Amino acid sequence: MAEQKRDYYEVLGVEKSADDAAIKKAYRVLAKKYHPDMNPGDAEAEKKFKEASEAYAVLSDPEKRRQYDQYGHAAFDGAGGAGGFGGFDFNGADFGDIFGDIFGDLFGGSRRGGGRGNGPMKGANIRTSVRITFEEAVFGVEREIELTLKDECTSCHGTGAKPGTSPETCSKCGGKGQVVFTSQSFFGTVRNVQTCPDCHGTGKVIKDKCPDCRGTGYIANKKKIQVSIPAGIDNGQCVRIRDKGEPGSNGGPRGDLLVEVVVGRHPIFQRQDENIYSTVPMSFAIAALGGEIVIDTVDGRVIYEVKAGTQTDTKVRLKGKGVPSLRNKDVRGDHYVTLVVQVPDKLSHEAKDLLKQFDECTGDSLNAAKNITSGAPEEPTGGSGKRKKKFKF
């Protein structure tokens, strides 16, 4: 009695509503796990691999999946003779077309897109870096950098061939830049397209190389490039300069130059997005009585009027004194300043006497220890009747 087949959706472990991507992903996992090449001599793994492949062959085909959803396994029983999987008929389908992409990804190579051929290709991008100051990042700056870039060889005009000669059509790929490798698998013949190893995808082979560029078609030259660094750029961001990268191949455009900006630290300012932060000290007298202080900003020094009774760690906002926005040069962030009362650590005898007088004039409100013990005839004693010791800090 023939073994009853499992539901194809159950085999792949997907819902009936699964899309093509989910079905393909599920099959990739099972194919890699149970492929005969990964499990030599394992009959059970081979069986599961066949089962998963049969399920994928049906569910990956829209028409076959529609028939299966309507009639189940009966849609294919005896319909196509003894071909395929246990009576299942692929109707002349090429196994390479069905499974080539997946097996190429899993085991190397690819049936489609294995090589880009000899069409025009854009050159690679080049990365470099430039250091600027905090202020230059805020307001922008022009910088000149020196780089070694490739240019078309003037002797061979980029062909790479010795003057008077020309590159020849590659005999291996016939000038296509790609070669097709066929291999036998469990499903039959699988076609894999790869970049031609002889011409490296160019479709041309140089027999006599240009002595100046040694067959590369390019000469390296040092060049000075002007870089416009926009106002508001931040540390780690890049400036892209079009068409200043590596040359393209087969008539393709040059790549781009990416200049990473490294912003130096500032001794006073810190930056977060478009806002600037700093800390400014003020004397106790100004904090108590009010007065003017000088605050440094990226635009220069400004005078700020401190209100009487300002406490330490008070934050003030200087609107529009921050960093310009990269998207809108007319918009700037703000500068936030933390005001910190500065306590002197060295006082003259006269200054100390004056502070004591000040403390007495204010009711000695800050001397908590004296306020607690004021009016007490004696120092407190412990349980033994002995006087407690005073601790000096």
Side-chain angles (χ1 to χ4, degrees), residues 18 20 27 29 45 48 66 136 156 208-209 274 284 334:
D20 293 340
Y27 176 66
V29 175
K48 290 182 178 180
R66 184 190 65 78
E136 288 172 338
C156 66
D208 297 319
K209 295 182 179 180
E274 278 80 45
F284 175 76
D334 303 321

Side-chain angles (χ1 to χ4, degrees), residues 171-185:
S171 59
K172 190 173 185 68
C173 66
K176 296 180 179 179
Q178 298 176 330
V179 289
V180 179
F181 293 95
T182 59
S183 59
Q184 296 296 324
S185 73

Side-chain angles (χ1 to χ4, degrees), residues 130-392:
V130 61
R131 286 186 169 273
I132 62 175
T133 65
F134 188 93
E135 288 84 358
E136 288 172 338
V138 173
F139 298 109
V141 67
E142 294 285 330
R143 280 295 177 86
E144 186 179 73
I145 60 175
E146 188 174 72
L147 291 174
T148 299
L149 299 175
K150 293 179 181 178
D151 286 320
E152 184 180 280
C153 176
T154 55
S155 298
C156 66
H157 303 289
T159 65
K162 184 179 180 180
T165 66
S166 300
E168 300 178 4
T169 301
C170 177
S171 59
K172 190 173 185 68
C173 66
K176 296 180 179 179
Q178 298 176 330
V179 289
V180 179
F181 293 95
T182 59
S183 59
Q184 296 296 324
S185 73
F186 172 78
F187 299 101
T189 302
V190 177
R191 300 171 67 251
N192 293 291
V193 181
Q194 297 179 5
T195 301
C196 177
D198 289 3
C199 67
H200 306 291
T202 63
K204 301 288 184 180
V205 176
I206 301 172
K207 293 294 181 68
D208 297 319
K209 295 182 179 180
C210 172
D212 293 339
C213 66
R214 298 181 181 179
T216 63
Y218 304 103
I219 297 292
N221 294 313
K222 284 189 176 182
K223 288 188 175 182
K224 292 183 178 180
I225 299 175
Q226 200 73 15
V227 182
S228 296
I229 300 174
I233 198 165
D234 207 348
N235 184 60
Q237 292 182 324
C238 289
V239 176
R240 182 185 292 269
I241 304 177
R242 303 286 181 184
D243 303 325
K244 292 297 182 180
E246 294 285 356
S249 59
N250 300 321
R254 296 185 75 105
D256 301 330
L257 173 62
L258 304 177
V259 183
E260 182 181 0
V261 176
V262 180
V263 181
R265 290 181 177 273
H266 196 278
I268 299 175
F269 306 134
Q270 292 84 42
R271 174 180 174 178
Q272 184 176 345
D273 299 327
E274 278 80 45
N275 296 324
I276 296 176
Y277 298 84
S278 66
T279 300
V280 175
M282 61 179 176
S283 68
F284 175 76
I286 289 181
L289 304 175
E292 294 181 343
I293 61 172
V294 177
I295 297 178
D296 288 316
T297 72
V298 291
D299 295 311
R301 291 185 167 183
V302 298
I303 304 298
Y304 181 79
E305 185 72 27
V306 177
K307 295 180 180 179
T310 298
Q311 302 298 309
T312 191
D313 288 336
T314 296
K315 291 179 173 59
V316 299
R317 173 191 177 198
L318 303 180
K319 189 175 180 180
K321 292 294 182 180
V323 181
S325 170
L326 278 173
R327 296 182 178 181
N328 187 348
K329 303 303 179 184
D330 296 328
V331 176
R332 288 183 64 174
D334 303 321
H335 187 160
Y336 293 91
V337 181
T338 301
L339 302 178
V340 177
V341 177
Q342 213 169 25
V343 179
D345 55 359
K346 293 182 180 180
L347 294 172
S348 64
H349 290 293
E350 183 181 3
K352 289 180 181 179
D353 291 338
L354 290 173
L355 277 177
K356 288 178 181 179
Q357 293 178 34
F358 167 78
D359 204 26
E360 292 174 358
C361 290
T362 57
D364 207 16
S365 59
L366 302 180
N367 193 339
K370 187 174 180 181
N371 290 336
I372 292 173
T373 59
S374 61
E378 295 182 356
E379 294 182 6
T381 60
S384 61
K386 296 181 180 179
R387 293 180 180 273
K388 287 186 178 180
K389 295 182 180 179
K390 290 184 178 179
F391 292 91
K392 294 183 179 180

